[in-house]
Amino acid sequence: MSTRVEGALGALYPFLDERPADVDAVLAAVAASTAEKAAEIVALRGSLVAEHGERLVNCARRCAAAFAAGGRLFAFGNGGSSTDAQDVAQLFLHPPKAARPLPAISLTHDVALITALSNDVGFDVVFARQVAAFGRPGDIAVALSTSGGSANVLRGLAEAAQRGLVTVGIAGYDGGRMAESDIDHLFVVPSASVHRVQEAQTTLYHVLWELIQQALAREL
């Protein structure tokens, strides 16, 4: 007797359905879904130009001034945003050959430190404690959160603001609690899809990096 895999699992993996399937129809559906998602992210990225273009330029100029004065960048986030934070640090510290390397640190790369703070103090402080230890006035804090509501990210931003760092927030949905915080530069990707939000956030911080490079070269 054949069975049907229902729910989200069945939607993601239609080939798990043991009933005979029309392969051409399945492939056509997958192709249509892929094209739809591609069109969605292209449109979303395009909308960010009008929404954030001028503010990205202003943020880039301020960050460039901070780097020129000896500042460093600290990036942090959870889950997929943790991976993005590491990407941000790598992009600034080890950019393409023709670009200028800039001092940047991901606050998520030290597993021993993250687990020690989580175990001994609490997960909410894993970024705030590092900002308190390493941050100086004039440094830059870049916080990434899909929801904009991660408690440890918000505490990291609050600590950065208190210590005189330039604060940059990158969030999704409607910005969540991050939109209610006192952040120098906030960029929100207005989408309810986690996938589209994170894809567009990647575009945002790459554009910001390019603009900072231009500002440092006095081309912005």
Side-chain angles (χ1 to χ4, degrees):
M1 178 178 177
S2 62
T3 59
R4 180 178 177 82
V5 180
E6 302 288 352
L9 186 62
L12 285 172
Y13 306 107
F15 52 82
L16 293 179
D17 193 337
E18 295 180 3
R19 297 181 306 175
D22 183 339
V23 175
D24 290 338
V26 170
L27 292 176
V30 170
S33 175
T34 302
E36 180 182 351
K37 291 178 174 62
E40 184 180 352
I41 186 57
V42 168
L44 181 58
R45 284 169 169 154
S47 71
L48 297 179
V49 176
E51 178 69 21
H52 296 304
E54 184 176 349
R55 290 189 293 114
L56 277 166
V57 169
N58 292 335
C59 179
R61 286 173 173 156
R62 186 167 181 186
C63 289
F67 280 122
R72 302 158 300 169
L73 183 149
F74 300 97
F76 49 94
N78 297 295
S81 297
S82 169
T83 302
D84 286 339
Q86 292 177 336
D87 187 36
V88 169
Q90 184 275 334
L91 178 64
F92 279 83
L93 190 61
H94 185 60
K97 186 174 181 180
R100 173 178 173 177
L102 297 167
I105 300 169
S106 168
L107 299 186
T108 66
H109 79 287
D110 191 334
V111 177
L113 179 58
I114 293 290
T115 53
L117 287 170
S118 298
N119 184 61
D120 298 340
V121 186
F123 191 58
D124 284 2
V125 304
V126 293
F127 302 133
R129 284 291 184 95
Q130 293 186 74
V131 170
F134 304 132
R136 303 182 303 227
D139 286 338
I140 305 161
V142 177
L144 300 108
S145 173
T146 302
S147 67
S150 300
N152 56 4
V153 171
L154 294 168
R155 289 189 66 166
L157 278 170
E159 187 70 34
Q162 180 180 341
R163 292 182 177 276
L165 279 72
V166 178
T167 53
V168 181
I170 303 177
Y173 298 93
D174 61 355
R177 290 171 57 198
M178 194 181 285
E180 302 169 0
S181 305
D182 185 16
I183 300 175
D184 295 322
H185 305 277
L186 176 63
F187 306 101
V188 177
V189 177
S191 173
S193 166
V194 172
H195 309 90
R196 303 296 86 76
V197 167
Q198 292 188 337
E199 290 165 355
Q201 286 181 332
T202 301
T203 300
L204 274 172
Y205 66 70
H206 274 82
V207 170
L208 179 60
W209 169 79
E210 290 186 20
L211 292 172
I212 290 171
Q213 290 284 335
Q214 291 178 22
L216 286 168
R218 301 182 183 275
E219 296 173 355
L220 185 66

